[in-house]
């Protein structure tokens, strides 16, 4: 099942940084950016997270919460968040339940070998919990600015 724009996003709960559990339905009334990245503390994921960190005040002004998700364990997520001074929640999705909900586990090739991994993807969920916009196969440069523009436009609507 692939989520379509305009559809309600099914509720989920997952372990998150700060010894918390993130539950999507608890964020109703605010827009939510859920971005999926392949692996904590790798170059592209560090750059992407840093871009979200650096624009967080702008996302806050647009009534938008940022949530990063990968299959890394909670300890790796905590270390990544602390080392990069991320000012938003990271979710540990070791069982891939959130990844599968958003259909981001894809067959990838690395050094000629195939494996299942996270396709870098971002989802903007509106105040009512419906999918407003999806970006799949994301390239990091300029991506956060594009997501921010969409969040600002949605918030103004």
């Amino acid at each position: 099942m692939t989520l379509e724009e305009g559809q309600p996003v099914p509720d989920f709960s997952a372990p998150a940084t700060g010894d918390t559990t993130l539950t999507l339905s608890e964020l109703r009334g605010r827009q939510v950016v859920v971005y999926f990245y392949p692996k904590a503390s790798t170059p592209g994921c560090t750059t992407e997270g840093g871009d979200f960190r650096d624009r967080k005040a702008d996302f806050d002004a647009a009534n938008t919460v940022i949530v990063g998700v990968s299959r890394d364990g909670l300890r790796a997520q905590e270390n990544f968040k602390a080392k990069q001074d991320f000012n938003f929640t990271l979710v540990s999705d070791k069982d891939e339940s959130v990844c599968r909900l958003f259909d981001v586990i894809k067959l990838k090739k690395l050094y000629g070998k195939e494996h299942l991994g996270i396709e870098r993807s971002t989802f903007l969920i509106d105040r009512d919990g419906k999918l407003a916009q999806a970006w799949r196969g994301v390239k990091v440069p300029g991506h956060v600015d594009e997501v921010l523009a969409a969040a600002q436009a949605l918030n103004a609507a």
Side-chain angles (χ1 to χ4, degrees), residues 52-123:
F52 276 112
R53 175 197 62 218
D54 297 346
R55 300 304 300 269
K56 183 171 183 299
D58 297 320
F59 279 99
D60 287 346
N63 190 36
T64 305
V65 177
I66 302 165
V67 177
V69 182
S70 77
R71 299 184 301 180
D72 294 290
L74 214 40
R75 176 183 230 149
Q77 296 289 48
E78 292 285 6
N79 291 341
F80 188 36
K81 181 176 178 173
K83 185 175 182 184
Q84 300 304 325
D85 201 25
F86 290 159
N87 47 10
F88 52 87
T89 299
L90 297 180
V91 165
S92 170
D93 190 31
K94 283 189 81 71
D95 69 0
E96 299 179 354
S97 59
V98 182
C99 289
R100 294 199 184 282
L101 177 69
F102 285 88
D103 192 30
V104 298
I105 300 291
K106 303 292 180 187
L107 193 59
K108 300 169 86 177
K109 277 191 179 175
L110 184 64
Y111 306 117
K113 294 190 177 183
E114 291 185 335
H115 68 283
L116 288 174
I118 292 179
E119 175 185 51
R120 191 181 305 279
S121 304
T122 303
F123 301 87

Side-chain angles (χ1 to χ4, degrees), residues 27 29-34 52 55-67 87-88 122-127 135 147-156:
L27 300 174
R30 299 194 66 194
Q31 298 174 167
V32 183
V33 166
V34 180
F52 276 112
R55 300 304 300 269
K56 183 171 183 299
D58 297 320
F59 279 99
D60 287 346
N63 190 36
T64 305
V65 177
I66 302 165
V67 177
N87 47 10
F88 52 87
T122 303
F123 301 87
L124 176 60
I125 301 167
D126 72 13
R127 287 181 216 95
W135 295 264
V147 175
L148 177 60
Q152 290 169 329
L154 184 61
N155 190 52

Side-chain angles (χ1 to χ4, degrees), residues 9-13 23-26 28 101:
V9 176
D11 196 20
F12 65 85
S13 293
T23 300
L24 182 63
S25 60
E26 292 176 1
R28 285 272 155 72
L101 177 69

Side-chain angles (χ1 to χ4, degrees), residues 2-25:
T2 301
L3 290 172
E4 300 290 333
E5 291 179 10
Q7 282 186 325
V9 176
D11 196 20
F12 65 85
S13 293
T17 50
D19 199 26
T20 62
T21 298
L22 180 114
T23 300
L24 182 63
S25 60

